[in-house]
Amino acid sequence: MPNDGLQIEPIAGALGAEVSDVDLRSLDTELVGQIRAAFVDHQVLVFRDQELTPDDQVAFGRHFGELDTHPFVEMNDEHPEVLDIVTEPEDRVGANFGGGWHTDLTFMTEPDLGSILYAIEVPPAGGDTLFASQLAAYDSLSDTMKSMLDGLVATHSPDRQYGMAGQSKTSKAMVTKDGVDASSETEHPVVRTHPESGRKGLYVNPAFTEKIRGMRRDESAALLSFLYEKGSHEAFTCRVKWQPGTLTMWDNRSVQHFALHDYAGHRRHMRRITVKGDRPV
Ligand code: SIN
């Protein structure tokens, strides 16, 4: 496949684009720059028909920064930057990795900038991933709501997912590391300014956000519930249908995502790497 410049076709109104005519194994600086710009602009980029070994995927990811490992989930034995996300045919529906709206790793002080997911084995139907633009969700709010949110800070914790009673402990789809403390909390602004585009977006998610600082628990729960509804409204979403060889990269600074489990009885195997990010402001 020759690399003669990028062909970029949006897949939905608010975010997401499919990029064609590019072989991710042979990129020059010019193309990497174009992909990076398209990534910030479209927030989710989909590349079809790629033939990537784990090393190829790692090399591609390194064009965008240093790669991370997952603090709670076992990484691939031979490739420490690679996380295999496998759902087996017998796995309970809804217990899949990423099976709910979330932004990756917001419980960290410096959450990852983006994730790069490659499809190895997909079910005959279903198994799509939904993405939602938190920039578009923020833009849709009234000026009064925006100014109320702008100074707010929320706590985030891995505990509900990865703590002793967390969802991942009951899920066969994730092999969690033993003895890692998941009780930590970190704080992030409720509205984040994207470090590259300068656009503002919502930065709370139902998987890891615990509470808005300075509010009573019922007040915080009501506001968060409103923001989660906005942040996953269909108007701000796009949907990626996978085929073996599809690679999708998404900007964790501006999107939430949801891995649908609507393929009980079938296997799905994806390979993920993540790129380190900075402290949200
Ligand atoms: C994830 O949350 O990173 C997993 C997404 C997917 O498997 O589609």
Side-chain angles (χ1 to χ4, degrees):
M1 200 187 313
N3 280 336
D4 298 329
L6 297 181
Q7 304 288 323
I8 301 175
E9 205 55 52
I11 57 172
L15 81 168
E18 206 162 305
V19 185
S20 51
D21 297 332
V22 64
D23 182 343
L24 299 179
R25 293 170 301 187
S26 53
L27 297 175
D28 57 20
T29 316
E30 164 77 24
L31 273 172
V32 171
Q34 287 180 27
I35 292 174
R36 177 112 200 179
F39 172 66
V40 172
D41 209 17
H42 295 280
Q43 305 162 59
V44 176
L45 294 182
V46 184
F47 302 85
R48 302 285 183 194
D49 304 322
Q50 301 296 319
E51 287 178 24
L52 302 180
T53 63
D55 285 334
D56 293 332
Q57 188 174 351
V58 164
F60 173 67
R62 287 202 178 122
H63 289 304
F64 304 96
E66 203 182 324
L67 302 187
D68 209 354
T69 59
H70 198 291
F72 299 110
V73 182
E74 293 290 355
M75 306 300 286
N76 182 291
D77 285 343
E78 286 159 37
H79 302 91
E81 305 96 338
V82 169
L83 178 62
D84 285 294
I85 299 176
V86 181
T87 312
E88 297 292 356
E90 63 278 12
D91 282 348
R92 188 164 53 82
V93 167
N96 61 316
F97 187 88
W101 283 109
H102 66 287
T103 302
D104 291 330
L105 307 161
T106 62
F107 50 79
M108 297 188 349
T109 317
E110 296 186 342
D112 288 338
L113 162 169
S115 304
I116 301 176
L117 191 66
Y118 179 68
I120 294 169
E121 188 177 346
V122 300
D128 301 351
T129 307
L130 303 178
F131 296 90
S133 170
Q134 303 308 291
L135 308 178
Y138 177 80
D139 286 348
S140 76
L141 300 173
S142 67
D143 288 344
T144 308
M145 178 58 90
K146 284 179 182 161
S147 53
M148 188 185 93
L149 296 178
D150 267 349
L152 296 179
V153 167
T155 49
H156 295 239
S157 171
D159 198 40
R160 269 177 296 133
Q161 296 294 322
Y162 300 112
M164 284 317 286
Q167 284 191 13
S168 62
K169 296 291 176 204
T170 59
S171 164
K172 288 198 345 210
M174 282 173 262
V175 183
T176 46
K177 293 178 184 167
D178 286 330
V180 185
D181 179 18
S183 63
S184 65
E185 282 195 344
T186 188
E187 289 188 337
H188 296 305
V190 167
V191 173
R192 175 177 193 174
T193 302
H194 194 287
E196 294 183 68
S197 70
R199 290 182 66 188
K200 287 183 175 182
L202 297 178
Y203 199 65
V204 287
N205 71 89
F208 303 124
T209 306
E210 291 289 324
K211 188 174 173 298
I212 297 178
R213 192 172 74 190
M215 285 191 167
R216 292 204 331 232
R217 197 154 276 284
D218 56 349
E219 295 168 339
S220 165
L223 182 53
L224 286 174
S225 150
F226 168 78
L227 296 176
Y228 296 156
E229 200 181 312
K230 278 284 160 203
S232 58
H233 190 282
E234 67 193 74
F236 314 131
T237 63
C238 71
R239 181 178 190 123
V240 173
K241 189 169 262 312
W242 300 91
Q243 294 145 2
T246 301
L247 180 139
T248 299
M249 61 192 293
W250 62 89
D251 191 335
N252 273 314
R253 302 163 297 183
S254 58
V255 305
Q256 287 197 57
H257 59 285
F258 187 147
L260 297 175
H261 190 185
D262 52 359
Y263 52 92
H266 297 281
R267 192 167 196 272
R268 181 177 184 268
H269 179 188
M270 317 292 277
R271 197 202 283 147
R272 189 179 92 171
I273 57 173
T274 54
V275 182
K276 287 187 180 178
D278 57 1
R279 185 160 200 155
V281 287

